[in-house]
Amino acid sequence: IGLVPGLELGVELPIVAYQGGASGLDSYGIAAPTLGLKLGTSSPRPVSAAISVAVQPRWSGSFDFGGNSGWTIMPGAGASWRSGDQVILANVALLIREAKIDLGAQQNGNEAQAGVGWSLTDGALRYEVTARAAFELSGVGESAELLGGVRLQRGPAEFFAIAGPGFMDLAGTPAFR
């Protein structure tokens, strides 16, 4: 939601329809909500940049792939290049966990994240393709996803849905999101 030019408030409530691969965890549920702020350039130039910070509360139970043992803070930065009705984007972020997530044989801690993407920008309904990766900083593993999605702009709010396969071995990497 655009608060003022260049400043956005983001609220996410991820819903996982199915997860598998680990016994003792629920196969579906609502994952940790995210609240974030993004400050970016608000000019119509071809190149833009933004910095962001988001937080997730402690969120646990038997749905730990989408939960946190403590608070999580996610600072990040991104840049994009626009040409006509298309945009190419890249971003980097850190996922800083107050406590590791215990997934039995693996404990996920802090992560470095990166992504690249392409999107159409004209019209209320827009399409995108994104590749993103996460690297657990203690060397436990890494993950990657290739996602396609749609975004719908309605007034100051934007709604979106994404889907695609996950790759690599970091616990919590979806086979399909």
Side-chain angles (χ1 to χ4, degrees):
I1 299 172
L3 301 175
V4 295
L7 182 63
E8 296 178 7
L9 170 68
V11 179
E12 296 179 20
L13 186 61
I15 299 171
V16 176
Y18 173 78
Q19 72 178 3
S23 62
L25 297 178
D26 289 342
S27 62
Y28 60 90
I30 298 175
T34 302
L35 179 64
L37 285 174
K38 183 179 353 178
L39 178 64
T41 57
S42 58
S43 68
R45 290 183 231 167
V47 176
S48 62
I51 57 172
S52 63
V53 66
V55 296
Q56 289 179 327
R58 189 174 280 113
W59 194 268
S60 63
S62 60
F63 185 69
D64 286 334
F65 280 165
N68 298 313
S69 302
W71 283 83
T72 300
I73 298 173
M74 297 163 283
S80 65
W81 176 71
R82 181 180 307 262
S83 177
D85 67 345
Q86 299 180 52
V87 64
I88 305 286
L89 58 97
N91 67 339
V92 294
L94 288 175
L95 189 144
I96 303 167
R97 292 186 167 110
E98 180 183 8
K100 289 186 175 186
I101 297 175
D102 187 0
L103 298 170
Q106 194 175 99
Q107 291 188 339
N108 289 5
N110 299 333
E111 296 177 6
Q113 302 175 338
V116 294
W118 165 88
S119 177
L120 291 174
T121 59
D122 283 349
L125 185 63
R126 301 176 315 277
Y127 304 95
E128 68 180 59
V129 176
T130 305
R132 56 189 191 186
F135 305 91
E136 206 278 342
L137 295 178
S138 66
V140 169
E142 52 277 326
S143 71
E145 295 181 73
L146 181 60
L147 304 168
V150 295
R151 293 181 179 267
L152 178 65
Q153 185 77 38
R154 287 289 178 240
E158 181 178 69
F159 303 92
F160 65 95
I162 58 172
F167 308 96
M168 303 174 113
D169 60 355
L170 184 63
T173 302
F176 189 85
R177 177 186 305 269

